[in-house]
Amino acid sequence: QLQLQESGPGLVKPSETLSLTCTVSGGSISSTPYYWGWIRQPPGKGLEWIGTIYKGGVIYQNPSLRSRITMSVDSSKNQFSLKLTSMTAADAAVYYCASQNWNFEESYWGRGTLITVSS
Amino acid sequence: DIQVTQSPSAMSASVGDRVTITCRTSQGVSSDLAWFQQKPGTAPKRLIYSISSLQSGVPSRFGGSGSGTEFTLTISSLQPEDFATYYCLQHNSHSWTFGQGTKVEIK
């Protein structure tokens, strides 16, 4: 069973770039048939899909965030990451990393990391 | 992009009640529809995948149904531990969309 753990700065200044990492344990990123992705949830609001990395490195992203997102996988560290540029108060949220197989029969989420945007 | 409309946004119900939550998608999503439960301060937990397949360990009072563009989550007899927020998720065409959420509160 996979376990995922997000890590990040907690606090980001407006206009700066957010960098988050998700560390995977219990399985290898390079050998498991899973997709790797990010979801966020502003305080008191609903869930928003950010993007997903599919097998072979194909990446699909939320159109509303696409111009600001960079996603990547580092198989040597068993991690995947998210960078979100030009942060504003609207980007303050709990950021979750998640992994699932093609039909969500298997689905694993991290516990989430709260990102605050403030100068 | 596929839009998802979930209803109701909130509801009050009593223990033992039958609860129905609906998600409508703007176009067909095949069987790429899942349901999640989220309790305060915790990550969402997947209850159902592929419209109606129950995740192992999820009580049988939870059920999913639907096809095409209309899908339903039913809780046949609401229990105290079921008070939470529920989200549907469509993951068709490599682009995901969550429903707006339904908060189930105690009446």
Side-chain angles (χ1 to χ4, degrees):
Chain A
Q1 177 151 338
L2 293 185
Q3 294 184 335
L4 283 70
Q5 177 66 58
E6 305 89 350
S7 56
L11 176 65
V12 177
K13 290 182 169 59
S15 79
E16 289 189 341
T17 295
L18 170 66
S19 294
L20 295 175
T21 298
C22 184
T23 301
V24 179
S25 57
S28 169
I29 276 187
S30 58
S31 62
T32 51
Y34 297 131
Y35 307 151
W36 314 96
W38 296 91
I39 298 99
R40 69 180 183 179
Q41 185 171 37
K45 297 188 177 181
L47 300 166
E48 180 181 32
W49 172 67
I50 297 172
T52 303
I53 303 176
Y54 286 75
K55 266 301 203 188
V58 178
I59 298 174
Y60 292 89
Q61 298 164 338
N62 188 321
S64 68
L65 298 170
R66 186 173 294 142
S67 64
R68 300 168 52 207
I69 294 173
T70 302
M71 298 174 62
S72 61
V73 172
D74 187 339
S75 298
S76 67
K77 296 182 178 179
N78 227 33
Q79 295 176 335
F80 60 102
S81 65
L82 168 71
K83 292 187 189 297
L84 182 62
T85 62
S86 305
M87 293 284 286
T88 71
D91 296 311
V94 175
Y95 285 74
Y96 295 100
C97 62
S99 172
Q100 53 284 317
N101 70 336
W102 69 276
N103 66 348
F104 274 77
E105 180 175 5
E106 296 184 68
S107 178
Y108 308 97
W109 290 57
R111 298 176 69 176
T113 185
L114 176 63
I115 301 298
T116 302
V117 182
S118 175
S119 56
Chain B
D1 295 339
I2 298 174
Q3 309 303 312
V4 176
T5 303
Q6 183 174 340
S7 60
S9 57
M11 63 185 305
S12 296
S14 300
V15 172
D17 283 354
R18 181 181 182 88
V19 168
T20 300
I21 299 168
T22 298
C23 274
R24 292 184 174 84
T25 59
S26 59
Q27 62 190 72
V29 297
S30 186
S31 60
D32 299 333
L33 195 288
W35 290 95
F36 290 80
Q37 176 194 65
Q38 187 179 34
K39 296 183 179 179
T42 67
K45 169 189 169 185
R46 187 235 14 235
L47 300 175
I48 288 171
Y49 62 96
S50 297
I51 300 175
S52 59
S53 296
L54 205 62
Q55 164 64 17
S56 175
V58 173
S60 58
R61 62 180 179 272
F62 289 93
S65 62
S67 64
T69 61
E70 186 160 335
F71 306 91
T72 299
L73 173 70
T74 301
I75 309 173
S76 59
S77 178
L78 198 67
Q79 298 302 301
E81 60 270 29
D82 301 336
F83 291 95
T85 301
Y86 294 86
Y87 295 92
C88 64
L89 166 69
Q90 74 78 21
H91 54 97
N92 189 256
S93 302
H94 307 299
S95 178
W96 301 6
T97 317
F98 286 94
Q100 294 81 3
T102 297
K103 186 173 184 179
V104 179
E105 299 175 302
I106 302 173
K107 183 183 286 185

Coordinates of all heavy atoms in Angstrom, one line a residue, chain A residues 21-104:
Chain A
T21 N 6.8 19.0 -2.8 CA 7.3 17.7 -3.1 C 6.4 16.7 -2.5 O 6.0 16.9 -1.3 CB 8.7 17.5 -2.7 OG1 9.6 18.5 -3.4 CG2 9.2 16.1 -3.0
C22 N 6.2 15.6 -3.2 CA 5.4 14.5 -2.6 C 6.4 13.3 -2.6 O 6.8 12.8 -3.6 CB 4.2 14.2 -3.4 SG 3.1 12.9 -2.7
T23 N 6.6 12.7 -1.4 CA 7.5 11.6 -1.3 C 6.6 10.3 -1.1 O 5.7 10.3 -0.3 CB 8.4 11.7 0.0 OG1 9.2 12.9 -0.2 CG2 9.3 10.5 0.1
V24 N 6.9 9.3 -2.0 CA 6.2 8.1 -2.0 C 6.9 7.0 -1.3 O 8.1 6.8 -1.6 CB 5.9 7.7 -3.5 CG1 5.1 6.4 -3.6 CG2 5.2 8.8 -4.2
S25 N 6.2 6.2 -0.5 CA 6.8 5.1 0.1 C 5.8 3.9 0.0 O 4.7 4.1 -0.3 CB 7.1 5.3 1.6 OG 5.9 5.7 2.3
G26 N 6.4 2.7 0.1 CA 5.6 1.5 -0.1 C 5.5 1.0 -1.5 O 4.7 0.1 -1.8
G27 N 6.2 1.7 -2.4 CA 6.2 1.3 -3.8 C 7.0 2.2 -4.6 O 7.4 3.3 -4.2
S28 N 7.4 1.7 -5.8 CA 8.3 2.5 -6.6 C 7.5 3.3 -7.7 O 6.7 2.7 -8.4 CB 9.3 1.6 -7.3 OG 10.0 2.3 -8.3
I29 N 7.8 4.6 -7.7 CA 7.2 5.4 -8.7 C 7.4 4.9 -10.1 O 6.5 4.9 -11.0 CB 7.7 6.9 -8.7 CG1 6.9 7.7 -7.6 CG2 7.5 7.6 -10.0 CD1 7.3 9.1 -7.5
S30 N 8.5 4.4 -10.4 CA 8.9 3.9 -11.8 C 8.3 2.6 -12.1 O 8.1 2.3 -13.3 CB 10.4 3.9 -12.0 OG 11.0 3.0 -11.0
S31 N 7.9 1.8 -11.2 CA 7.4 0.5 -11.5 C 5.9 0.2 -11.2 O 5.4 -0.8 -11.6 CB 8.2 -0.6 -10.8 OG 8.1 -0.4 -9.4
T32 N 5.3 1.1 -10.5 CA 3.9 0.9 -10.2 C 3.0 1.6 -11.3 O 3.4 2.6 -11.9 CB 3.5 1.6 -8.8 OG1 4.0 2.9 -8.8 CG2 4.1 0.8 -7.7
P33 N 1.8 1.0 -11.6 CA 1.0 1.5 -12.7 C 0.1 2.6 -12.3 O -1.1 2.6 -12.5 CB 0.2 0.2 -13.0 CG 0.0 -0.5 -11.7 CD 1.3 -0.2 -10.9
Y34 N 0.6 3.6 -11.6 CA -0.2 4.6 -11.1 C 0.0 6.0 -11.8 O 1.0 6.2 -12.5 CB 0.1 4.8 -9.6 CG -0.2 3.6 -8.8 CD1 0.7 3.1 -7.9 CD2 -1.4 2.9 -8.9 CE1 0.4 2.0 -7.1 CE2 -1.7 1.8 -8.1 CZ -0.8 1.4 -7.2 OH -1.1 0.3 -6.5
Y35 N -1.0 6.9 -11.6 CA -0.9 8.2 -12.0 C -0.5 9.1 -10.8 O -0.9 8.7 -9.6 CB -2.2 8.7 -12.6 CG -2.7 7.9 -13.7 CD1 -4.1 7.8 -14.0 CD2 -1.9 7.1 -14.5 CE1 -4.6 7.0 -15.0 CE2 -2.4 6.3 -15.6 CZ -3.7 6.3 -15.8 OH -4.2 5.5 -16.8
W36 N 0.1 10.1 -10.9 CA 0.6 11.0 -9.8 C 0.1 12.4 -10.0 O 0.3 13.0 -11.1 CB 2.1 11.0 -9.8 CG 2.7 9.6 -9.9 CD1 3.2 9.0 -11.1 CD2 2.8 8.6 -8.9 NE1 3.6 7.7 -10.8 CE2 3.4 7.4 -9.5 CE3 2.5 8.6 -7.5 CZ2 3.6 6.3 -8.8 CZ3 2.7 7.4 -6.8 CH2 3.3 6.3 -7.4
G37 N -0.6 12.9 -9.0 CA -1.2 14.2 -9.2 C -1.3 15.1 -8.0 O -0.9 14.7 -6.9
W38 N -1.9 16.3 -8.2 CA -2.0 17.3 -7.2 C -3.5 17.8 -7.2 O -4.0 18.0 -8.2 CB -1.0 18.4 -7.3 CG 0.4 18.0 -7.2 CD1 1.2 17.6 -8.2 CD2 1.1 18.0 -6.0 NE1 2.5 17.3 -7.7 CE2 2.4 17.6 -6.3 CE3 0.9 18.3 -4.7 CZ2 3.4 17.4 -5.4 CZ3 1.9 18.2 -3.7 CH2 3.1 17.7 -4.1
I39 N -4.0 18.0 -6.0 CA -5.3 18.6 -5.8 C -5.2 19.6 -4.7 O -4.4 19.4 -3.8 CB -6.3 17.5 -5.4 CG1 -6.5 16.5 -6.4 CG2 -7.7 18.1 -5.0 CD1 -5.7 15.2 -6.2
R40 N -6.0 20.7 -4.7 CA -5.9 21.7 -3.6 C -7.3 22.0 -3.1 O -8.3 21.8 -3.8 CB -5.2 22.9 -4.1 CG -5.9 23.8 -5.1 CD -5.0 25.0 -5.5 NE -5.7 25.9 -6.4 CZ -5.3 27.0 -6.8 NH1 -4.0 27.5 -6.5 NH2 -6.0 27.8 -7.7
Q41 N -7.3 22.6 -1.9 CA -8.6 22.9 -1.3 C -8.4 24.2 -0.5 O -7.9 24.2 0.6 CB -9.1 21.8 -0.4 CG -10.4 22.0 0.2 CD -10.9 20.7 0.9 OE1 -10.2 20.0 1.5 NE2 -12.2 20.5 0.8
P42 N -8.9 25.3 -1.0 CA -8.9 26.6 -0.2 C -9.7 26.4 1.0 O -10.6 25.6 1.1 CB -9.6 27.6 -1.2 CG -9.4 27.0 -2.5 CD -9.5 25.5 -2.4
P43 N -9.3 27.1 2.1 CA -10.0 27.0 3.4 C -11.5 27.1 3.2 O -12.0 28.1 2.7 CB -9.4 28.1 4.2 CG -8.0 28.3 3.6 CD -8.2 28.1 2.1
G44 N -12.2 26.2 3.7 CA -13.7 26.2 3.7 C -14.3 26.0 2.4 O -15.6 26.2 2.2
K45 N -13.5 25.6 1.4 CA -14.1 25.5 0.0 C -13.9 24.0 -0.5 O -13.4 23.2 0.2 CB -13.4 26.5 -0.9 CG -13.7 27.9 -0.6 CD -13.2 28.9 -1.6 CE -13.6 30.3 -1.3 NZ -13.1 31.3 -2.3
G46 N -14.2 23.8 -1.8 CA -14.2 22.5 -2.3 C -12.8 22.1 -2.9 O -11.9 22.9 -2.8
L47 N -12.8 21.0 -3.5 CA -11.6 20.4 -4.1 C -11.4 20.9 -5.5 O -12.3 21.0 -6.3 CB -11.7 18.9 -4.1 CG -11.8 18.2 -2.7 CD1 -12.2 16.8 -2.8 CD2 -10.6 18.4 -1.9
E48 N -10.1 21.2 -5.8 CA -9.8 21.6 -7.2 C -8.6 20.8 -7.7 O -7.6 20.7 -7.1 CB -9.4 23.1 -7.2 CG -9.0 23.6 -8.6 CD -8.6 25.1 -8.7 OE1 -8.1 25.6 -7.7 OE2 -8.9 25.7 -9.7
W49 N -8.8 20.1 -8.8 CA -7.8 19.4 -9.5 C -6.7 20.3 -10.1 O -7.1 21.3 -10.8 CB -8.4 18.5 -10.6 CG -7.4 17.8 -11.4 CD1 -6.5 16.8 -11.1 CD2 -7.2 18.0 -12.8 NE1 -5.8 16.4 -12.1 CE2 -6.1 17.1 -13.2 CE3 -7.7 18.8 -13.8 CZ2 -5.7 17.0 -14.5 CZ3 -7.3 18.8 -15.1 CH2 -6.3 17.9 -15.5
I50 N -5.5 20.0 -9.8 CA -4.4 20.9 -10.4 C -3.8 20.2 -11.6 O -3.6 20.8 -12.7 CB -3.3 21.1 -9.3 CG1 -3.8 21.9 -8.1 CG2 -2.1 21.8 -9.9 CD1 -2.9 22.0 -7.0
G51 N -3.4 18.9 -11.5 CA -2.8 18.3 -12.6 C -2.4 16.8 -12.3 O -2.3 16.5 -11.1
T52 N -2.1 16.1 -13.3 CA -1.8 14.6 -13.2 C -0.7 14.3 -14.1 O -0.7 14.7 -15.3 CB -3.0 13.8 -13.4 OG1 -4.1 14.1 -12.6 CG2 -2.7 12.3 -13.2
I53 N 0.2 13.5 -13.6 CA 1.3 12.9 -14.5 C 1.0 11.5 -14.7 O 0.8 10.7 -13.8 CB 2.7 13.0 -13.8 CG1 3.0 14.5 -13.4 CG2 3.8 12.4 -14.7 CD1 4.3 14.6 -12.7
Y54 N 0.9 11.1 -16.0 CA 0.6 9.7 -16.4 C 1.8 9.0 -16.7 O 2.9 9.5 -16.8 CB -0.4 9.7 -17.6 CG -1.8 10.1 -17.3 CD1 -2.1 11.5 -17.0 CD2 -2.8 9.2 -17.2 CE1 -3.4 11.8 -16.7 CE2 -4.1 9.6 -16.9 CZ -4.4 10.9 -16.6 OH -5.7 11.3 -16.3
K55 N 1.7 7.7 -16.8 CA 2.8 6.8 -17.2 C 3.4 7.3 -18.5 O 2.7 7.7 -19.4 CB 2.3 5.4 -17.4 CG 2.4 4.4 -16.2 CD 3.8 4.3 -15.7 CE 4.1 3.1 -14.9 NZ 5.4 3.0 -14.3
G56 N 4.7 7.3 -18.5 CA 5.4 7.8 -19.7 C 5.7 9.3 -19.6 O 6.3 9.9 -20.5
G57 N 5.2 9.9 -18.5 CA 5.5 11.3 -18.3 C 4.5 12.3 -18.9 O 4.8 13.5 -18.9
V58 N 3.5 11.8 -19.5 CA 2.5 12.7 -20.1 C 1.8 13.4 -19.0 O 1.3 12.8 -18.0 CB 1.5 11.9 -21.0 CG1 0.4 12.9 -21.5 CG2 2.2 11.2 -22.1
I59 N 1.6 14.7 -19.1 CA 1.1 15.6 -18.0 C -0.2 16.3 -18.5 O -0.2 16.8 -19.6 CB 2.1 16.6 -17.6 CG1 3.3 15.9 -17.0 CG2 1.5 17.5 -16.5 CD1 4.5 16.9 -16.6
Y60 N -1.2 16.2 -17.7 CA -2.5 16.9 -18.0 C -2.7 17.9 -16.8 O -2.5 17.5 -15.7 CB -3.6 16.0 -18.2 CG -3.5 15.1 -19.4 CD1 -2.9 13.9 -19.4 CD2 -4.1 15.6 -20.6 CE1 -2.8 13.1 -20.5 CE2 -4.0 14.8 -21.8 CZ -3.3 13.6 -21.7 OH -3.2 12.9 -22.9
Q61 N -3.1 19.1 -17.1 CA -3.2 20.1 -16.1 C -4.6 20.8 -16.2 O -5.1 20.9 -17.3 CB -2.1 21.1 -16.3 CG -0.7 20.4 -16.0 CD 0.4 21.3 -16.5 OE1 0.3 22.2 -17.4 NE2 1.6 21.1 -16.0
N62 N -5.0 21.4 -15.1 CA -6.2 22.2 -15.1 C -5.9 23.4 -16.0 O -5.0 24.2 -15.8 CB -6.4 22.7 -13.7 CG -7.8 23.4 -13.5 OD1 -8.2 24.2 -14.4 ND2 -8.4 23.1 -12.4
P63 N -6.8 23.6 -17.0 CA -6.6 24.7 -17.9 C -6.5 26.1 -17.3 O -5.7 27.0 -17.7 CB -7.9 24.7 -18.8 CG -8.3 23.3 -18.7 CD -8.0 22.8 -17.3
S64 N -7.1 26.3 -16.1 CA -7.1 27.6 -15.5 C -5.8 27.8 -14.8 O -5.5 29.0 -14.4 CB -8.3 27.7 -14.4 OG -8.0 26.8 -13.4
L65 N -5.0 26.8 -14.6 CA -3.7 27.0 -13.9 C -2.5 26.6 -14.8 O -1.3 26.8 -14.4 CB -3.6 26.0 -12.7 CG -4.7 26.3 -11.6 CD1 -4.6 25.2 -10.6 CD2 -4.4 27.6 -10.9
R66 N -2.8 26.1 -16.0 CA -1.7 25.5 -16.9 C -0.5 26.4 -17.1 O 0.6 26.0 -17.1 CB -2.3 25.1 -18.2 CG -1.4 24.4 -19.1 CD -2.2 23.9 -20.3 NE -3.1 22.9 -20.0 CZ -4.4 22.8 -20.6 NH1 -4.7 23.6 -21.5 NH2 -5.2 21.8 -20.2
S67 N -0.8 27.7 -17.3 CA 0.3 28.6 -17.6 C 1.3 28.8 -16.4 O 2.4 29.3 -16.6 CB -0.2 30.0 -18.1 OG -0.9 30.6 -17.0
R68 N 0.8 28.4 -15.2 CA 1.6 28.7 -14.0 C 2.2 27.4 -13.4 O 2.9 27.5 -12.4 CB 0.8 29.4 -13.0 CG 0.2 30.7 -13.4 CD -0.9 31.2 -12.5 NE -0.4 31.2 -11.1 CZ -1.2 31.0 -10.0 NH1 -2.5 30.9 -10.1 NH2 -0.7 31.1 -8.8
I69 N 2.0 26.3 -14.0 CA 2.3 25.0 -13.4 C 3.5 24.3 -14.0 O 3.6 24.3 -15.3 CB 1.1 24.0 -13.4 CG1 -0.1 24.5 -12.6 CG2 1.5 22.6 -13.0 CD1 -1.3 23.7 -12.8
T70 N 4.3 23.7 -13.2 CA 5.3 22.8 -13.7 C 5.2 21.6 -12.8 O 5.2 21.7 -11.6 CB 6.8 23.4 -13.6 OG1 6.9 24.6 -14.4 CG2 7.8 22.4 -14.1
M71 N 5.1 20.4 -13.4 CA 5.0 19.2 -12.7 C 6.1 18.2 -13.2 O 6.4 18.2 -14.4 CB 3.7 18.5 -12.8 CG 2.5 19.4 -12.3 SD 0.9 18.7 -12.6 CE 1.0 17.1 -11.8
S72 N 6.7 17.4 -12.3 CA 7.7 16.5 -12.7 C 7.8 15.3 -11.7 O 7.3 15.4 -10.6 CB 9.1 17.2 -12.7 OG 9.4 17.7 -11.4
V73 N 8.5 14.3 -12.2 CA 8.7 13.1 -11.4 C 10.3 12.9 -11.2 O 11.0 13.0 -12.2 CB 8.1 11.9 -12.0 CG1 8.5 10.6 -11.3 CG2 6.6 12.0 -12.0
D74 N 10.7 12.6 -10.0 CA 12.1 12.2 -9.8 C 12.1 10.8 -9.3 O 12.0 10.5 -8.1 CB 12.7 13.1 -8.8 CG 14.2 12.9 -8.6 OD1 14.7 11.8 -9.0 OD2 14.9 13.8 -8.2
S75 N 12.3 9.8 -10.2 CA 12.2 8.4 -9.9 C 13.3 8.0 -8.9 O 13.2 7.1 -8.1 CB 12.2 7.5 -11.1 OG 11.1 7.8 -12.0
S76 N 14.5 8.7 -9.0 CA 15.6 8.3 -8.2 C 15.4 8.6 -6.7 O 15.9 7.9 -5.8 CB 16.9 9.0 -8.7 OG 16.8 10.4 -8.4
K77 N 14.5 9.5 -6.5 CA 14.2 9.9 -5.1 C 12.8 9.4 -4.7 O 12.3 9.6 -3.6 CB 14.2 11.4 -4.9 CG 15.6 12.0 -5.1 CD 15.6 13.5 -4.8 CE 16.9 14.1 -5.0 NZ 16.9 15.6 -4.7
N78 N 12.1 8.8 -5.6 CA 10.7 8.3 -5.4 C 9.8 9.5 -5.0 O 9.0 9.4 -4.1 CB 10.6 7.2 -4.4 CG 9.7 6.0 -4.9 OD1 9.7 5.7 -6.1 ND2 9.1 5.4 -4.0
Q79 N 9.9 10.6 -5.8 CA 9.2 11.8 -5.5 C 8.6 12.4 -6.7 O 9.1 12.1 -7.8 CB 10.1 12.8 -4.8 CG 10.7 12.5 -3.5 CD 11.7 13.5 -3.0 OE1 12.3 14.3 -3.8 NE2 11.8 13.6 -1.7
F80 N 7.5 13.1 -6.6 CA 7.1 14.0 -7.7 C 6.8 15.3 -7.1 O 6.6 15.5 -5.9 CB 5.9 13.4 -8.4 CG 4.7 13.1 -7.6 CD1 3.6 14.0 -7.6 CD2 4.5 12.0 -6.8 CE1 2.4 13.7 -6.9 CE2 3.4 11.7 -6.1 CZ 2.3 12.6 -6.2
S81 N 6.8 16.3 -8.0 CA 6.8 17.7 -7.5 C 5.9 18.6 -8.3 O 5.5 18.3 -9.4 CB 8.2 18.3 -7.5 OG 8.7 18.4 -8.8
L82 N 5.6 19.7 -7.7 CA 4.7 20.8 -8.3 C 5.3 22.1 -8.0 O 5.8 22.4 -6.9 CB 3.3 20.7 -7.6 CG 2.4 21.9 -7.9 CD1 1.9 21.8 -9.4 CD2 1.2 21.9 -7.0
K83 N 5.4 22.9 -9.1 CA 5.8 24.3 -8.9 C 4.6 25.2 -9.4 O 4.1 24.9 -10.5 CB 7.1 24.6 -9.7 CG 8.3 24.0 -9.1 CD 9.6 24.5 -9.7 CE 10.8 23.6 -9.3 NZ 11.0 23.8 -7.9
L84 N 4.2 26.2 -8.7 CA 3.2 27.1 -9.1 C 3.7 28.5 -8.9 O 4.0 28.9 -7.8 CB 1.9 26.9 -8.2 CG 0.7 27.7 -8.5 CD1 0.2 27.4 -9.9 CD2 -0.4 27.4 -7.4
T85 N 3.8 29.2 -10.1 CA 4.4 30.5 -10.1 C 3.3 31.6 -9.8 O 2.1 31.4 -9.7 CB 5.0 30.8 -11.5 OG1 3.9 30.8 -12.4 CG2 6.0 29.8 -11.8
S86 N 3.9 32.8 -9.5 CA 3.0 34.0 -9.3 C 1.9 33.8 -8.3 O 0.7 34.0 -8.6 CB 2.4 34.4 -10.7 OG 3.5 34.6 -11.6
M87 N 2.3 33.3 -7.1 CA 1.3 33.0 -6.1 C 0.6 34.3 -5.6 O 1.2 35.4 -5.5 CB 2.0 32.4 -4.9 CG 2.5 31.0 -5.2 SD 1.2 29.8 -5.3 CE 0.8 29.6 -3.5
T88 N -0.7 34.1 -5.4 CA -1.6 35.2 -4.9 C -2.4 34.6 -3.7 O -2.3 33.4 -3.4 CB -2.5 35.8 -5.9 OG1 -3.5 34.8 -6.2 CG2 -1.8 36.2 -7.2
A89 N -3.1 35.5 -3.0 CA -3.9 35.0 -1.9 C -4.9 34.0 -2.3 O -5.3 33.1 -1.5 CB -4.6 36.2 -1.3
A90 N -5.3 34.0 -3.6 CA -6.3 33.0 -4.1 C -5.7 31.6 -4.2 O -6.5 30.7 -4.3 CB -6.8 33.5 -5.5
D91 N -4.4 31.5 -4.1 CA -3.8 30.2 -4.2 C -3.6 29.6 -2.8 O -3.1 28.5 -2.7 CB -2.4 30.3 -4.9 CG -2.5 30.8 -6.3 OD1 -3.3 30.2 -7.0 OD2 -1.8 31.7 -6.7
A92 N -3.9 30.3 -1.7 CA -3.8 29.8 -0.4 C -4.8 28.6 -0.3 O -6.0 28.7 -0.6 CB -4.2 30.8 0.6
A93 N -4.2 27.5 0.2 CA -5.0 26.2 0.2 C -4.3 25.1 0.9 O -3.1 25.2 1.2 CB -5.4 25.8 -1.2
V94 N -5.0 24.0 1.2 CA -4.3 22.8 1.5 C -4.1 22.1 0.2 O -5.0 21.9 -0.6 CB -5.2 21.9 2.4 CG1 -4.6 20.5 2.6 CG2 -5.5 22.6 3.8
Y95 N -2.8 21.7 0.0 CA -2.4 21.0 -1.2 C -2.2 19.6 -0.9 O -1.4 19.2 0.0 CB -1.1 21.7 -1.8 CG -1.4 23.0 -2.5 CD1 -1.6 24.1 -1.7 CD2 -1.3 23.1 -3.8 CE1 -1.9 25.4 -2.3 CE2 -1.6 24.3 -4.5 CZ -1.8 25.5 -3.7 OH -2.1 26.7 -4.3
Y96 N -2.9 18.7 -1.7 CA -2.8 17.3 -1.5 C -2.0 16.7 -2.7 O -2.3 17.1 -3.9 CB -4.2 16.6 -1.5 CG -5.0 17.0 -0.3 CD1 -6.0 17.9 -0.4 CD2 -4.9 16.4 0.9 CE1 -6.9 18.3 0.6 CE2 -5.7 16.7 2.0 CZ -6.7 17.6 1.9 OH -7.5 17.9 2.9
C97 N -1.2 15.7 -2.5 CA -0.7 14.9 -3.6 C -1.5 13.6 -3.5 O -1.9 13.2 -2.4 CB 0.8 14.6 -3.5 SG 1.5 13.8 -2.0
A98 N -1.6 13.0 -4.6 CA -2.5 11.8 -4.7 C -2.0 10.9 -5.8 O -1.3 11.3 -6.8 CB -3.9 12.1 -5.0
S99 N -2.3 9.6 -5.7 CA -1.9 8.6 -6.7 C -3.0 7.6 -6.8 O -3.7 7.3 -5.9 CB -0.7 7.9 -6.2 OG -0.4 6.8 -7.1
Q100 N -3.3 7.2 -8.1 CA -4.4 6.3 -8.3 C -4.1 5.5 -9.6 O -3.3 5.9 -10.4 CB -5.7 7.0 -8.5 CG -5.7 8.1 -9.5 CD -5.0 9.3 -9.0 OE1 -5.2 9.7 -7.8 NE2 -4.2 9.9 -9.8
N101 N -4.8 4.4 -9.7 CA -4.6 3.6 -11.0 C -5.7 4.2 -11.9 O -6.4 5.1 -11.6 CB -4.7 2.1 -10.7 CG -6.1 1.7 -10.3 OD1 -6.9 2.5 -9.8 ND2 -6.4 0.4 -10.6
W102 N -5.8 3.5 -13.1 CA -6.6 4.1 -14.2 C -8.1 4.3 -13.8 O -8.7 5.3 -14.3 CB -6.5 3.2 -15.4 CG -7.2 1.9 -15.3 CD1 -6.7 0.8 -14.7 CD2 -8.5 1.6 -15.7 NE1 -7.7 -0.2 -14.8 CE2 -8.8 0.3 -15.4 CE3 -9.5 2.4 -16.4 CZ2 -10.0 -0.4 -15.7 CZ3 -10.7 1.7 -16.6 CH2 -11.0 0.4 -16.3
N103 N -8.7 3.5 -13.0 CA -10.1 3.6 -12.7 C -10.4 4.0 -11.2 O -11.5 3.9 -10.8 CB -10.8 2.4 -13.1 CG -10.5 1.2 -12.2 OD1 -9.5 1.2 -11.5 ND2 -11.3 0.1 -12.3
F104 N -9.4 4.4 -10.5 CA -9.5 4.8 -9.1 C -9.8 3.6 -8.2 O -10.2 3.8 -7.1 CB -10.5 5.9 -8.9 CG -10.0 7.3 -9.1 CD1 -9.8 7.7 -10.4 CD2 -9.7 8.1 -8.1 CE1 -9.3 9.0 -10.6 CE2 -9.2 9.4 -8.3 CZ -9.0 9.8 -9.5

